[in-house]
Amino acid sequence: MVEVNNVVSGWMREAGMAVRRDVVGNLVGRYEGAGEKTLVLGSHLDTVRDAGKYDGTLGVMVAIACVQDLHDRGQQLPYALEVVAFADEEGLRFGTTFLGSSVYVGAFEERLLGLEDGDGVTLAEAVRVFGGDPESIVEGDCEGGDLLGYCEVHIEQGPVLEDLDLPVGVVAAINGQSRLGVGFAGEAGHAGTVPMETRRDALCAAGEFVLEVERAARREPGSVATVGKISVLPGASNVIPGEAELSLDLRNPDDAARERLRDNLEAKASEIAASRGCEHRWQVRQETPAVPMDSDLSTLLERAVEESGVPAKRLSSGAGHDAAQVAALAPAAMLLVRCERGISHNPAESVEREDVGAAIEVMRDFISLVSQRVDAGTEPGRMQEGR
Ligand code: GLV
Ligand code: MN
Ligand code: MN
């Protein structure tokens, strides 16, 4: 993060922006305008393990390209543009998502500061080491003044646009998600001497649970559920596993359905543990409800898509995005860019140069449509209640 923040700061400055880093490590580039209001563009710079090149980064780069274009032409808008490159959207290290954007909007939950990474380092400590301030991240750090809105460009990470032969599409809503930590504890023992009948094998309990996760999600329409990580202790070929820890990621466009699946799986984990003489641990690390995008801002974005000669398709996003957090602070909209075979969170992630060009064109038009609204005194944004 230190390295990427340095590199991207340089690009932001070259594009005429004043750059600051906030209390948690989000990079904020500001291109001043003639008025007080601010339109925010952005996405995230962190990524997953064995990732592709475009998830998050593409949105930051498209935003910088739009500002670079204004700067090269010496053009000032009737409002300021801020490009925010969020930190830790993916949540790999602490099993939670949206760290940077939740701090940005003032919605960070203090209880998360005590979460530990795989090495036992707390989130509070990690923020401190990175140069941030764990006490003040709870306050939030948005200095944008009156926000007109937030617009994020992101690769689709799914196959819909490719199937429809469209370079870009507009997000209707972002699906809700739950992130959990689940643990099974049995008893470690000698692999050669303990009879099968008397074992309390934590990994066997976890294995049974993983297959139950798959079965249960298939039964619940619209649901997807993933165990992406599992660790086994003590972790030796001749020792019966005494402990197994796994991650659980649940998504659904319908919050009630997601909560139902979560609760059923908790009951199942307890049942499996009991049937094997094991204990189980169930830790809800994060709950994010489904978030509809702002209809006014999305209509403006659709107009920009149509003006570029592309039919405007609205689709829901199965992936989580920083826009889901920023929507609590300001009207939010998202533009998705077609990606090859819908593959993402994989080094094979790929986008076409022409599609990126199409996204930049749409965003430039969107920026000027917002300018027209500001000039006419009918700007889309307003500070929302509850910040
Ligand atoms: C973010 O990439 C997510 O997991 O949806
Ligand atoms: Mn991602
Ligand atoms: Mn992403």
Side-chain angles (χ1 to χ4, degrees):
M1 284 310 297
V2 170
E3 237 175 277
V4 75
N5 277 2
N6 285 340
V7 170
V8 173
S9 300
W11 290 335
M12 285 175 162
R13 284 194 193 94
E14 277 169 32
M17 287 180 260
V19 184
R20 68 183 179 91
R21 206 182 78 167
D22 76 5
V23 284
V24 73
N26 297 316
L27 262 194
V28 183
R30 186 169 172 91
Y31 185 73
E32 286 300 341
E36 291 300 300
K37 304 231 164 170
T38 302
L39 177 69
V40 182
L41 308 178
S43 194
H44 59 98
L45 287 178
D46 66 305
T47 189
V48 294
R49 199 164 277 132
D50 254 341
K53 289 187 256 182
Y54 303 100
D55 176 359
T57 318
L58 178 68
V60 176
M61 295 309 296
V62 167
I64 294 174
C66 291
V67 178
Q68 179 83 59
D69 178 61
L70 294 168
H71 180 60
D72 290 349
R73 289 188 287 114
Q75 192 181 336
Q76 196 186 36
L77 300 170
Y79 55 86
L81 264 182
E82 269 192 5
V83 177
V84 184
F86 290 110
D88 202 352
E89 185 266 359
E90 305 280 5
L92 254 65
R93 186 168 171 190
F94 294 98
T96 61
T97 59
F98 308 134
L99 173 61
S101 46
S102 68
V103 170
Y104 183 77
V105 305
F108 178 77
E109 291 176 63
E110 197 169 357
R111 71 177 176 95
L112 299 179
L113 285 172
L115 288 179
E116 293 183 358
D117 70 5
D119 297 325
V121 177
T122 62
L123 176 52
E125 187 53 22
V127 167
R128 200 172 292 117
V129 167
F130 194 63
D133 175 4
E135 272 71 53
S136 61
I137 70 174
V138 179
E139 308 297 320
D141 195 19
C142 177
E143 292 174 4
D146 250 358
L147 296 185
L148 293 162
Y150 171 75
C151 190
E152 176 167 356
V153 175
H154 203 283
I155 54 162
E156 184 200 340
Q157 309 181 277
V160 177
L161 293 173
E162 194 174 64
D163 287 350
L164 294 170
D165 196 22
L166 295 173
V168 292
V170 175
V171 172
I174 299 171
N175 291 356
Q177 55 175 297
S178 306
R179 302 257 184 131
L180 300 103
V182 184
F184 292 92
E187 189 170 46
H190 198 291
T193 59
V194 183
M196 295 310 288
E197 293 69 30
T198 59
R199 291 183 179 205
R200 293 162 54 212
D201 185 324
L203 181 57
C204 288
E208 210 177 301
F209 178 72
V210 171
L211 293 177
E212 186 52 43
V213 167
E214 184 185 46
R215 264 193 298 275
R218 283 183 174 163
R219 278 197 302 264
E220 186 72 70
S223 274
V224 286
T226 307
V227 174
K229 198 174 151 194
I230 190 158
S231 61
V232 181
L233 286 174
S237 61
N238 61 348
V239 182
I240 299 164
E243 285 177 47
E245 297 276 337
L246 50 92
S247 64
L248 178 60
D249 176 314
L250 309 175
R251 320 255 181 139
N252 198 302
D254 176 349
D255 291 331
R258 189 188 81 253
E259 286 159 12
R260 191 165 56 236
L261 177 65
R262 181 200 59 205
D263 294 346
N264 289 343
L265 285 172
E266 182 177 13
K268 205 72 203 174
S270 148
E271 209 178 282
I272 291 169
S275 75
R276 292 178 165 275
C278 295
E279 305 285 320
H280 88 288
R281 188 181 60 81
W282 186 262
Q283 185 189 30
V284 177
R285 294 202 151 203
Q286 185 172 355
E287 292 281 4
T288 308
V291 179
M293 295 291 92
D294 180 74
S295 100
D296 185 22
L297 209 62
S298 300
T299 304
L300 218 54
L301 187 57
E302 273 177 342
R303 229 179 98 193
V305 171
E306 278 160 2
E307 282 176 3
S308 77
V310 174
K313 166 78 187 164
R314 279 216 189 184
L315 54 169
S316 75
S317 173
H321 298 291
D322 294 304
Q325 290 292 307
V326 186
L329 179 68
M334 281 195 74
L335 185 75
L336 295 183
V337 180
R338 164 169 58 190
C339 71
E340 195 183 322
R341 293 186 295 131
I343 290 180
S344 183
H345 286 183
N346 182 322
E349 199 175 75
S350 175
V351 291
E352 292 292 331
R353 196 184 172 86
E354 292 70 26
D355 292 355
V356 176
I360 293 173
E361 187 187 336
V362 168
M363 288 307 290
R364 281 168 46 184
D365 195 35
F366 174 76
I367 288 166
S368 68
L369 289 172
V370 173
S371 297
Q372 287 168 22
R373 292 278 296 269
V374 171
D375 287 339
T378 57
E379 66 265 20
R382 68 211 120 64
M383 279 302 267
Q384 309 232 312
E385 301 288 320
R387 158 132 164 82

